[in-house]
């Protein structure tokens, strides 16, 4: 009975919600006070207060608690704001596509990618796409999966090449591309370059460059240390930048860990050396992610076809989100 009530209430809610209310919520988040949000929208404070009350009445519950002069979102307010961010992202995407149609443009594709996907699949898919659509504008943002998925949710990105997370599990379609081996790298002049075999104890004699705590790569490296009954080395340098890691390693006797695909390309060009030490685990598989509730452009559809083409197009992954 509850599900039927929710379905019947949806048309009523759509009739009562107004875009101006959505804009007010987003402005309150940005400006922190109702007075400042009202000024941004060209409203008086009483008018903004009335609009907020109408929104809360339409939704059937309060969204804020007053803390001094500021409005602090409650749990319902947080959820409503997340949906309003998504709505704004959808409208921005729609506005871009309509503008492209008006001007006869080939369109614009904005992609987010983790570093591991960039040297291989991403590069080849983009080159093929540009052959077919030479006037298409493409922007590629490189970052960690959690940051890219936040931008996907807000509509800033249309496609992400990254790892599935719990937060994205219900809202995104995920298709596996590959899992990711890790490589232990050093400079070409490193004392261990010619050592055979490489033991974990030998690596401990040197300083390390690691990703920040909480990142998937750092978690695997910490497991490697625990399984070797060793504490993390002291005097770490921590960075989420693979480029910074490679630069530090190339200019010192430090040890770094980066994705195998990235390491192999740089080693082939004589930029660094991969030690013959095999990490016991791989990073969780990465793949393409798109929003389930948002239609993607024709350019994005073609990009995904090219991205997954080698070896056939995989079936949509049924892998559970990472917890």
């Amino acid at each position: 009975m509850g599900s039927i009530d929710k379905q019947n209430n949806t048309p009523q809610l759509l009739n009562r919600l107004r875009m101006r209310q959505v804009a007010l919520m987003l402005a309150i988040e940005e400006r922190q006070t109702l007075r400042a949000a009202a000024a941004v929208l060209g409203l008086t404070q009483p008018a903004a207060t009335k609009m907020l009350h109408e929104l809360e009445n339409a939704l059937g519950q309060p969204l804020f608690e007053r803390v001094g002069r500021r409005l602090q979102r409650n749990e319902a307010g947080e959820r409503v704001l997340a949906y309003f961010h998504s709505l704004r992202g959808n409208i921005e995407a729609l506005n871009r596509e309509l503008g492209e149609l008006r001007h006869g443009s080939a369109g614009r594709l904005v992609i987010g990618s983790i570093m591991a996907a960039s040297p291989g699949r991403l590069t080849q898919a983009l080159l093929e796409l540009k052959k077919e659509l030479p006037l298409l504008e493409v922007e590629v943002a490189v970052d960690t999966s959690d940051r890219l998925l936040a931008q996907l949710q807000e509509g800033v990105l249309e496609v992400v090449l990254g790892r599935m997370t719990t937060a994205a599990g219900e809202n995104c379609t995920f298709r596996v591309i590959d899992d990711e081996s890790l490589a232990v790298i050093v400079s070409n002049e490193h004392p261990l370059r010619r050592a055979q075999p490489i033991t974990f104890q030998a690596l401990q004699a040197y300083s390390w460059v690691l990703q920040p705590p909480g990142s998937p790569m750092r978690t695997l490296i910490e497991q490697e240390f625990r399984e070797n009954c060793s504490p993390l080395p002291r005097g770490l340098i921590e960075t989420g930048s693979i480029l910074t890691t490679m630069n530090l390693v190339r200019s010192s006797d430090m040890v770094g860990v980066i994705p195998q695909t990235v390491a192999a390309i740089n080693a082939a060009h004589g930029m660094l050396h991969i030690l013959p030490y095999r990490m016991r685990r791989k990073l969780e598989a990465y793949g393409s992610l798109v929003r389930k509730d948002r239609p993607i452009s024709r350019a994005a559809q073609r990009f995904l076809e090219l991205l997954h083409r080698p070896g056939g197009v995989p079936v949509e992954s049924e892998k559970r989100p990472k917890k």
Side-chain angles (χ1 to χ4, degrees):
M1 185 69 181
S3 61
I4 295 176
D5 289 342
K6 288 180 182 178
Q7 290 173 0
N8 290 339
N9 285 338
T10 299
Q12 182 181 358
L13 181 58
L14 288 172
N15 287 333
R16 298 184 67 184
L17 281 178
R18 291 181 288 154
M19 292 305 300
R20 196 76 163 160
Q21 295 168 335
V22 176
L24 178 62
M25 278 288 290
L26 295 171
I28 292 173
E29 180 199 25
E30 180 181 347
R31 301 292 177 166
Q32 297 297 312
T33 68
L34 186 60
R35 180 188 297 273
V40 169
L41 298 180
L43 299 170
T44 63
Q45 186 166 351
T49 301
K50 179 182 178 183
M51 186 181 297
L52 182 57
H53 287 160
E54 289 173 347
L55 174 60
E56 291 177 326
N57 289 336
L59 296 171
Q61 54 187 309
L63 305 177
F64 293 93
E65 297 174 0
R66 285 197 171 274
V67 181
R69 294 184 177 182
R70 295 180 180 272
L71 292 175
Q72 181 172 309
R73 292 185 301 277
N74 58 23
E75 184 177 357
E78 291 288 352
R79 296 191 181 189
V80 168
L81 185 64
Y83 278 98
F84 283 4
H85 271 297
S86 176
L87 179 59
R88 180 173 65 180
N90 281 328
I91 292 173
E92 289 174 349
L94 173 62
N95 190 41
R96 284 196 300 268
E97 289 203 29
L98 291 177
E100 290 159 3
L101 287 174
R102 283 195 302 269
H103 295 95
S105 169
R108 178 177 174 82
L109 177 61
V110 187
I111 300 167
S113 177
I114 58 173
M115 185 70 175
S118 182
R121 293 290 191 94
L122 175 63
T123 299
Q124 293 304 315
L126 287 178
L127 291 174
E128 290 294 322
L129 185 65
K130 289 296 289 182
K131 288 179 182 178
E132 297 180 11
L133 301 171
L135 297 181
L136 176 70
E137 294 183 5
V138 180
E139 179 180 346
V140 180
V142 178
D143 212 323
T144 56
S145 292
D146 55 340
R147 294 179 180 177
L148 294 173
L149 287 171
Q151 295 179 68
L152 180 67
Q153 297 291 347
E154 293 181 9
V156 177
L157 302 174
E158 190 170 8
V159 181
V160 162
L161 276 63
R163 294 181 189 84
M164 178 70 87
T165 65
T166 302
E170 296 181 358
N171 302 319
C172 295
T173 298
F174 178 60
R175 294 169 63 188
V176 171
I177 294 177
D178 200 359
D179 58 11
E180 188 176 349
S181 299
L182 297 178
V184 180
I185 60 168
V186 294
S187 71
N188 290 327
E189 293 77 32
H190 197 279
L192 292 179
R193 189 183 187 283
R194 302 187 185 282
Q196 291 289 343
I198 297 293
T199 64
F200 191 80
Q201 288 68 30
L203 296 174
Q204 288 182 286
Y206 300 90
S207 299
W208 287 59
V209 188
L210 298 180
Q211 288 213 338
S215 65
M217 194 181 305
R218 174 64 174 265
T219 300
L220 290 189
I221 296 169
E222 289 176 353
Q223 290 176 348
E224 190 80 14
F225 274 86
R226 284 196 297 271
E227 290 171 2
N228 282 278
C229 301
S230 300
L232 284 175
R234 301 176 65 181
L236 289 174
I237 293 182
E238 297 175 339
T239 175
S241 167
I242 292 178
L243 179 60
T244 300
T245 298
M246 291 190 296
N247 286 338
L248 286 168
V249 165
R250 289 171 54 197
S251 303
S252 70
D253 283 345
M254 301 187 78
V255 175
V257 181
I258 64 174
Q260 176 69 34
T261 52
V262 180
I265 289 176
N266 283 273
H269 287 84
M271 306 293 287
L272 51 81
H273 179 74
I274 300 174
L275 291 177
Y277 179 85
R278 184 178 296 276
M279 301 285 289
R280 303 185 186 193
R281 289 181 172 82
K282 295 180 179 181
L283 285 174
E284 189 170 350
Y286 66 89
S288 64
L289 294 111
V290 295
R291 288 286 300 270
K292 290 180 179 177
D293 60 350
R294 184 179 303 156
I296 62 174
S297 65
R298 285 176 294 178
Q301 290 175 351
R302 184 56 182 150
F303 169 73
L304 289 172
E305 291 171 1
L306 294 168
L307 183 71
H308 290 281
R309 187 172 62 180
V313 179
V315 177
E316 186 174 313
S317 172
E318 296 181 355
K319 198 170 183 183
R320 291 186 178 272
K322 181 176 60 179
K323 296 182 179 180

